[in-house]
Amino acid sequence: MAVTLADVAARAGVSAATVSRVLSGRYPVTEGTRGRVLRAVAELEYVVDGPASALAGAGSDLVGILVNDLADPFFGVLAGAVQGELGGAAGPGDEKLAVVCGTGGSPERELDHLTRLQRQRAAAVVLTGGAPEDPGHARALAARLARLAEAGTRVVLCGRPPLDPVGAEGAERHAARRSGASVAPVTLAFDNRGGARRLTAHLLALGHRRIGCVAGPAGRTTTTERLAGHRDALAAHGVADVPGRTVPGAYDRASGYDAAVELLRREPDLTAVVAANDTAALGVCAALRDRGLRIPHDVSVAGFDDLPFSVDAAPALTTVRLPLLEAGARAGRLALGRAVAPPGGVATLPGELLVRESTGPVRSGAAGVGGAVSGGIGSGRTGG
């Protein structure tokens, strides 16, 4: 039996009129009431005017692009490439409006944005970047995406792994109950693990054995994949994965700086550091320079992603280039139905190792750099 507005009102403990006000977004409602209503909508999987939604979604001018951090160049490049495909390929009047939604890494906010986009009858939704490693969120996300697809909205995952099998199975059952159709989104995934493996293997080939790792935030698929690739390379070369040589952190410069300070405190004789991304690598470089260490003469540094500034850093960053522009553009075409989905609905895009000036062979005196970092550990982040 279809869930009704009255069912949502009963679950939230409010009137049907209040539910209508919250869903329309045109009337003032307290945050507490709004939160209860939206939770009830999610728990009951309430779909607003299903048949009308499907008809409206097919002709909507709105495309939602979900990103983790609006200020992160990684997401800026992806979103810009998606938006670049939304112009009128068939002429004036064929354009689509891109709405970029920042989640701040919050799983709840991601789900909330998807609910809002469904209410706005979005023609397509593109989710970018890594996903939270949470089975509960995977199931809730799959249900949201199933409802979007049923309403005529195309869904593309860009730079993100395919749906968790548990969540995908739930989405298929949800779709079968309603229409019997499959609703799996098209996925363009990055080979983070393979890229990280090649990056660490490059450092090992240069003679480095004491390699620090500035990992990304815990509980994210991108972090897990890149850390796994780093460990793959260590194992393949018979190098121990010393727990103290890995420090987690956000994908920003400040975290890279702080993580490098901590790594040097733990092991002053490190000869190389791999960072979660290029932005964190800049922070690592600044921390090393503040301690009088030369890059790569004393310590080699490598990043990931090949963000636009990487080649202009001093020294230029060795990194793994992900095809961000190409992936974003392809996601945009898929979102508009202008490209054919890959076999099985999933394509894995490889990264390319770019060797630049920030990495070099181990120097004969590298083991003695500890003296350069003794003291001064609490210095500021702003150097270099």
PDB file of all heavy atoms in Angstrom, residues 332-352:
ATOM      1  N   GLY A 332      28.497  14.134 -17.086  1.00  0.00           N
ATOM      2  CA  GLY A 332      27.495  15.089 -17.560  1.00  0.00           C
ATOM      3  C   GLY A 332      26.721  14.560 -18.750  1.00  0.00           C
ATOM      4  O   GLY A 332      25.496  14.697 -18.820  1.00  0.00           O
ATOM      5  N   ARG A 333      27.428  13.927 -19.667  1.00  0.00           N
ATOM      6  CA  ARG A 333      26.743  13.372 -20.843  1.00  0.00           C
ATOM      7  C   ARG A 333      25.832  12.208 -20.461  1.00  0.00           C
ATOM      8  O   ARG A 333      24.724  12.071 -20.979  1.00  0.00           O
ATOM      9  CB  ARG A 333      27.782  12.927 -21.883  1.00  0.00           C
ATOM     10  CG  ARG A 333      28.563  14.075 -22.506  1.00  0.00           C
ATOM     11  CD  ARG A 333      29.369  13.637 -23.712  1.00  0.00           C
ATOM     12  NE  ARG A 333      30.409  12.673 -23.377  1.00  0.00           N
ATOM     13  CZ  ARG A 333      31.640  13.009 -22.990  1.00  0.00           C
ATOM     14  NH1 ARG A 333      31.989  14.278 -22.885  1.00  0.00           N
ATOM     15  NH2 ARG A 333      32.533  12.070 -22.716  1.00  0.00           N
ATOM     16  N   LEU A 334      26.296  11.380 -19.529  1.00  0.00           N
ATOM     17  CA  LEU A 334      25.466  10.267 -19.068  1.00  0.00           C
ATOM     18  C   LEU A 334      24.226  10.785 -18.353  1.00  0.00           C
ATOM     19  O   LEU A 334      23.134  10.247 -18.508  1.00  0.00           O
ATOM     20  CB  LEU A 334      26.277   9.369 -18.126  1.00  0.00           C
ATOM     21  CG  LEU A 334      27.329   8.471 -18.784  1.00  0.00           C
ATOM     22  CD1 LEU A 334      28.290   7.927 -17.746  1.00  0.00           C
ATOM     23  CD2 LEU A 334      26.649   7.323 -19.529  1.00  0.00           C
ATOM     24  N   ALA A 335      24.405  11.836 -17.569  1.00  0.00           N
ATOM     25  CA  ALA A 335      23.278  12.395 -16.824  1.00  0.00           C
ATOM     26  C   ALA A 335      22.194  12.925 -17.751  1.00  0.00           C
ATOM     27  O   ALA A 335      21.015  12.922 -17.405  1.00  0.00           O
ATOM     28  CB  ALA A 335      23.768  13.509 -15.896  1.00  0.00           C
ATOM     29  N   LEU A 336      22.594  13.367 -18.930  1.00  0.00           N
ATOM     30  CA  LEU A 336      21.639  13.916 -19.886  1.00  0.00           C
ATOM     31  C   LEU A 336      21.200  12.890 -20.925  1.00  0.00           C
ATOM     32  O   LEU A 336      20.443  13.228 -21.837  1.00  0.00           O
ATOM     33  CB  LEU A 336      22.257  15.130 -20.583  1.00  0.00           C
ATOM     34  CG  LEU A 336      22.619  16.296 -19.656  1.00  0.00           C
ATOM     35  CD1 LEU A 336      23.240  17.424 -20.461  1.00  0.00           C
ATOM     36  CD2 LEU A 336      21.403  16.783 -18.897  1.00  0.00           C
ATOM     37  N   GLY A 337      21.686  11.666 -20.818  1.00  0.00           N
ATOM     38  CA  GLY A 337      21.315  10.643 -21.794  1.00  0.00           C
ATOM     39  C   GLY A 337      21.997  10.810 -23.125  1.00  0.00           C
ATOM     40  O   GLY A 337      21.520  10.291 -24.141  1.00  0.00           O
ATOM     41  N   ARG A 338      23.140  11.523 -23.143  1.00  0.00           N
ATOM     42  CA  ARG A 338      23.858  11.763 -24.395  1.00  0.00           C
ATOM     43  C   ARG A 338      25.046  10.829 -24.587  1.00  0.00           C
ATOM     44  O   ARG A 338      25.834  11.006 -25.516  1.00  0.00           O
ATOM     45  CB  ARG A 338      24.336  13.215 -24.439  1.00  0.00           C
ATOM     46  CG  ARG A 338      23.203  14.239 -24.444  1.00  0.00           C
ATOM     47  CD  ARG A 338      23.750  15.644 -24.350  1.00  0.00           C
ATOM     48  NE  ARG A 338      22.668  16.632 -24.252  1.00  0.00           N
ATOM     49  CZ  ARG A 338      22.843  17.861 -23.798  1.00  0.00           C
ATOM     50  NH1 ARG A 338      24.043  18.264 -23.408  1.00  0.00           N
ATOM     51  NH2 ARG A 338      21.820  18.698 -23.739  1.00  0.00           N
ATOM     52  N   ALA A 339      25.210   9.863 -23.679  1.00  0.00           N
ATOM     53  CA  ALA A 339      26.298   8.896 -23.789  1.00  0.00           C
ATOM     54  C   ALA A 339      25.777   7.522 -23.406  1.00  0.00           C
ATOM     55  O   ALA A 339      24.824   7.395 -22.642  1.00  0.00           O
ATOM     56  CB  ALA A 339      27.464   9.299 -22.879  1.00  0.00           C
ATOM     57  N   VAL A 340      26.433   6.501 -23.944  1.00  0.00           N
ATOM     58  CA  VAL A 340      26.026   5.123 -23.666  1.00  0.00           C
ATOM     59  C   VAL A 340      26.683   4.671 -22.370  1.00  0.00           C
ATOM     60  O   VAL A 340      27.885   4.892 -22.154  1.00  0.00           O
ATOM     61  CB  VAL A 340      26.445   4.194 -24.823  1.00  0.00           C
ATOM     62  CG1 VAL A 340      26.094   2.749 -24.502  1.00  0.00           C
ATOM     63  CG2 VAL A 340      25.786   4.644 -26.121  1.00  0.00           C
ATOM     64  N   ALA A 341      25.917   4.047 -21.499  1.00  0.00           N
ATOM     65  CA  ALA A 341      26.456   3.542 -20.240  1.00  0.00           C
ATOM     66  C   ALA A 341      27.474   2.444 -20.504  1.00  0.00           C
ATOM     67  O   ALA A 341      27.348   1.683 -21.473  1.00  0.00           O
ATOM     68  CB  ALA A 341      25.328   3.021 -19.361  1.00  0.00           C
ATOM     69  N   PRO A 342      28.499   2.321 -19.664  1.00  0.00           N
ATOM     70  CA  PRO A 342      29.494   1.254 -19.849  1.00  0.00           C
ATOM     71  C   PRO A 342      28.870  -0.111 -19.576  1.00  0.00           C
ATOM     72  O   PRO A 342      27.813  -0.208 -18.944  1.00  0.00           O
ATOM     73  CB  PRO A 342      30.563   1.595 -18.801  1.00  0.00           C
ATOM     74  CG  PRO A 342      29.835   2.384 -17.757  1.00  0.00           C
ATOM     75  CD  PRO A 342      28.791   3.162 -18.498  1.00  0.00           C
ATOM     76  N   PRO A 343      29.508  -1.183 -20.046  1.00  0.00           N
ATOM     77  CA  PRO A 343      28.987  -2.535 -19.799  1.00  0.00           C
ATOM     78  C   PRO A 343      28.796  -2.791 -18.305  1.00  0.00           C
ATOM     79  O   PRO A 343      29.697  -2.515 -17.505  1.00  0.00           O
ATOM     80  CB  PRO A 343      30.074  -3.447 -20.388  1.00  0.00           C
ATOM     81  CG  PRO A 343      30.750  -2.600 -21.426  1.00  0.00           C
ATOM     82  CD  PRO A 343      30.729  -1.209 -20.877  1.00  0.00           C
ATOM     83  N   GLY A 344      27.641  -3.282 -17.945  1.00  0.00           N
ATOM     84  CA  GLY A 344      27.366  -3.534 -16.540  1.00  0.00           C
ATOM     85  C   GLY A 344      27.101  -2.284 -15.736  1.00  0.00           C
ATOM     86  O   GLY A 344      26.894  -2.356 -14.522  1.00  0.00           O
ATOM     87  N   GLY A 345      27.115  -1.127 -16.400  1.00  0.00           N
ATOM     88  CA  GLY A 345      26.847   0.129 -15.709  1.00  0.00           C
ATOM     89  C   GLY A 345      28.007   0.675 -14.906  1.00  0.00           C
ATOM     90  O   GLY A 345      27.864   1.674 -14.210  1.00  0.00           O
ATOM     91  N   VAL A 346      29.192   0.046 -14.989  1.00  0.00           N
ATOM     92  CA  VAL A 346      30.348   0.468 -14.189  1.00  0.00           C
ATOM     93  C   VAL A 346      31.585   0.558 -15.071  1.00  0.00           C
ATOM     94  O   VAL A 346      31.893  -0.368 -15.820  1.00  0.00           O
ATOM     95  CB  VAL A 346      30.625  -0.509 -13.027  1.00  0.00           C
ATOM     96  CG1 VAL A 346      31.860  -0.072 -12.239  1.00  0.00           C
ATOM     97  CG2 VAL A 346      29.419  -0.617 -12.108  1.00  0.00           C
ATOM     98  N   ALA A 347      32.313   1.675 -14.962  1.00  0.00           N
ATOM     99  CA  ALA A 347      33.607   1.832 -15.622  1.00  0.00           C
ATOM    100  C   ALA A 347      34.623   2.267 -14.581  1.00  0.00           C
ATOM    101  O   ALA A 347      34.343   3.153 -13.769  1.00  0.00           O
ATOM    102  CB  ALA A 347      33.531   2.866 -16.741  1.00  0.00           C
ATOM    103  N   THR A 348      35.785   1.636 -14.566  1.00  0.00           N
ATOM    104  CA  THR A 348      36.863   2.015 -13.647  1.00  0.00           C
ATOM    105  C   THR A 348      37.927   2.758 -14.435  1.00  0.00           C
ATOM    106  O   THR A 348      38.487   2.216 -15.396  1.00  0.00           O
ATOM    107  CB  THR A 348      37.474   0.785 -12.963  1.00  0.00           C
ATOM    108  OG1 THR A 348      36.457   0.098 -12.221  1.00  0.00           O
ATOM    109  CG2 THR A 348      38.576   1.212 -11.998  1.00  0.00           C
ATOM    110  N   LEU A 349      38.200   4.002 -14.046  1.00  0.00           N
ATOM    111  CA  LEU A 349      39.121   4.867 -14.782  1.00  0.00           C
ATOM    112  C   LEU A 349      40.487   4.852 -14.102  1.00  0.00           C
ATOM    113  O   LEU A 349      40.599   5.181 -12.919  1.00  0.00           O
ATOM    114  CB  LEU A 349      38.559   6.292 -14.825  1.00  0.00           C
ATOM    115  CG  LEU A 349      37.091   6.402 -15.268  1.00  0.00           C
ATOM    116  CD1 LEU A 349      36.655   7.866 -15.253  1.00  0.00           C
ATOM    117  CD2 LEU A 349      36.888   5.788 -16.642  1.00  0.00           C
ATOM    118  N   PRO A 350      41.530   4.478 -14.823  1.00  0.00           N
ATOM    119  CA  PRO A 350      42.862   4.361 -14.204  1.00  0.00           C
ATOM    120  C   PRO A 350      43.510   5.717 -13.961  1.00  0.00           C
ATOM    121  O   PRO A 350      43.168   6.717 -14.599  1.00  0.00           O
ATOM    122  CB  PRO A 350      43.652   3.550 -15.235  1.00  0.00           C
ATOM    123  CG  PRO A 350      43.012   3.910 -16.547  1.00  0.00           C
ATOM    124  CD  PRO A 350      41.542   4.094 -16.251  1.00  0.00           C
ATOM    125  N   GLY A 351      44.461   5.725 -13.028  1.00  0.00           N
ATOM    126  CA  GLY A 351      45.268   6.914 -12.788  1.00  0.00           C
ATOM    127  C   GLY A 351      46.621   6.766 -13.471  1.00  0.00           C
ATOM    128  O   GLY A 351      47.036   5.667 -13.825  1.00  0.00           O
ATOM    129  N   GLU A 352      47.296   7.890 -13.645  1.00  0.00           N
ATOM    130  CA  GLU A 352      48.595   7.901 -14.324  1.00  0.00           C
ATOM    131  C   GLU A 352      49.659   8.479 -13.389  1.00  0.00           C
ATOM    132  O   GLU A 352      49.505   9.582 -12.862  1.00  0.00           O
ATOM    133  CB  GLU A 352      48.512   8.751 -15.594  1.00  0.00           C
ATOM    134  CG  GLU A 352      49.831   8.906 -16.330  1.00  0.00           C
ATOM    135  CD  GLU A 352      49.755   9.904 -17.466  1.00  0.00           C
ATOM    136  OE1 GLU A 352      48.667  10.494 -17.674  1.00  0.00           O
ATOM    137  OE2 GLU A 352      50.782  10.124 -18.138  1.00  0.00           O
TER     138      GLU A 352
END
